[in-house]
Amino acid sequence: MTKDITKVTPYNSEATKKSQVEDMFDNIAPKYDLLNRVLSMKIDILWRNKLVKWMKNDNPQEVLDVATGTGDLAITIEKGTGSKVVGLDLSQQMLNVGVIKIKKLKLDGKISMQKGDAENLPFEDNRFDAVSVAFGVRNFENLPKGLAELRRVVKDNKSVYILEFLKVEGLMGPFYMFYFKNILPAIGRLVSKDNRAYTYLPDSVNAFPFGEKMKQILLDTGFKKVEYKKLSLGIATIYKATK
C-alpha cells in the first residue's frame, strides 16, 4: 500500500514535515552539489536542460524557481532563456551555497535568492511568466496547497514546470530500486554524514503520485492543460501545467 506523501518525513520526530525538510537540507547543504553529481552520474544536468528548452518556447522574462536549493536550475534558466530569475527555498544553508555560485558566475544581477515557503509564497498573483520546481514538490507538507500557490503566482496562459523523480516500472524497476534503496543511501550517509537524508529520498519517491495521477492532481488544482514527458527510461518526469 502506498504511503501518503505528506506522512513521509526525513526524520522520525514530532516536528512538522516542513521543519524536518528544512533541517535536512541545512544539514546536507555543504555536500549537496557533490552528491547530486555523483549519485545522478550528471544526468540531472541533462534533465534541467530539457526543462529549460521546453520553457524557452514561452519566452519568459521573469521566472520563479521554487525549492531552488543551491540554484542549479535557476542558473540554467537564466543561461537558457535570458530571463530574470527569483530563487526561493526553505533552507538558508542551501541558499548560502547558491549565492556564492551565482556571484562567481557574475549572475547576481540576474538571479536573486530568498528564503521562503512554497506553500505561502510572498508574491502577488499573476506575477511570473513561468514557475519551476526541480525535485521539490515531494517535500511539500501540503501538496494541494503548494501546487495552488504555484498556480496563483504564474500569469494566465503561462505555465508551471515541475521536474520530479518517477517510480520506475518494468524491466528496469528492480535494478533502479536496488540502487535507489541501497547504494544511493549508503553513499549519501558516508559523504553527507546525515543518516536519514538519502533514505528519505527513495521513501518519498515511492510515495509520490506520478504520471496520470500527478496530471489529474494538477488539473484538480485548476490548471487548464497538463502535459508531461518521461526522461531517461522513466527515472524522471517533467510536467508542464498551464494556467
Side-chain angles (χ1 to χ4, degrees):
M1 184 176 174
T2 304
K3 288 184 180 178
D4 178 354
I5 185 62
T6 62
K7 303 288 191 271
V8 178
T9 57
Y11 307 110
N12 296 319
S13 77
E14 296 300 314
T16 63
K17 177 172 180 174
K18 194 174 297 182
S19 177
Q20 291 185 52
V21 166
E22 182 178 358
D23 287 346
M24 177 186 73
F25 282 111
D26 278 347
N27 289 342
I28 66 176
K31 301 291 185 181
Y32 181 81
D33 284 340
L34 170 64
L35 279 164
N36 241 12
R37 297 292 103 77
V38 171
L39 295 173
S40 72
M41 293 172 279
K42 297 189 177 182
I43 298 173
D44 62 307
I45 297 171
L46 173 67
W47 295 340
R48 276 190 289 274
N49 286 336
K50 284 186 177 294
L51 185 154
V52 172
K53 186 177 180 182
W54 203 0
M55 181 189 287
K56 190 176 181 181
N57 294 330
D58 294 345
N59 192 30
Q61 303 303 302
E62 186 177 30
V63 178
L64 172 64
D65 183 39
V66 174
T68 195
T70 62
D72 278 346
L73 181 55
I75 292 165
T76 307
I77 289 168
E78 193 285 327
K79 288 183 174 180
T81 68
S83 60
K84 286 195 170 184
V85 185
V86 178
L88 179 136
D89 201 276
L90 263 181
S91 168
Q92 187 61 54
Q93 296 305 316
M94 293 283 278
L95 290 168
N96 291 346
V97 174
V99 166
I100 292 168
K101 284 162 62 173
I102 289 162
K103 282 183 177 176
K104 281 183 179 177
L105 292 168
K106 296 182 170 55
L107 293 175
D108 38 323
K110 296 295 296 283
I111 302 173
S112 61
M113 302 284 267
Q114 68 182 78
K115 183 174 167 60
D117 178 1
E119 294 165 40
N120 296 283
L121 292 172
F123 307 108
E124 64 272 22
D125 296 358
N126 306 304
R127 156 103 179 247
F128 297 97
D129 301 302
V131 176
S132 61
V133 191
F135 311 114
V137 290
R138 280 178 298 107
N139 301 322
F140 289 179
E141 188 169 84
N142 183 324
L143 181 60
K145 186 179 180 185
L147 295 176
E149 276 291 271
L150 304 182
R151 181 183 177 278
R152 180 181 67 78
V153 300
V154 76
K155 293 176 181 175
D156 288 341
N157 300 311
K158 298 297 185 180
S159 302
V160 172
Y161 293 82
I162 296 169
L163 172 59
E164 193 50 82
F165 286 116
L166 184 66
K167 186 177 179 182
V168 177
E169 298 176 320
L171 291 174
M172 284 291 294
F175 299 102
Y176 174 74
M177 286 313 300
F178 179 81
Y179 172 76
F180 223 43
K181 290 188 74 70
N182 297 281
I183 296 172
L184 184 148
I187 297 171
R189 280 193 298 271
L190 184 67
V191 178
S192 73
K193 309 301 182 188
D194 187 304
N195 288 329
R196 267 295 293 168
Y198 289 86
T199 304
Y200 165 74
L201 175 57
D203 287 350
S204 61
V205 170
N206 280 334
F208 193 74
F210 59 90
E212 288 298 308
K213 286 184 180 178
M214 184 61 176
K215 178 179 178 177
Q216 190 58 54
I217 289 169
L218 287 163
L219 289 170
D220 291 345
T221 303
F223 290 99
K224 67 180 180 182
K225 182 181 179 183
V226 179
E227 308 162 74
Y228 63 92
K229 297 178 180 179
K230 292 183 180 181
L231 308 173
S232 303
L233 300 174
I235 294 174
T237 304
I238 304 170
Y239 301 87
K240 178 183 179 181
T242 304
K243 182 174 175 179

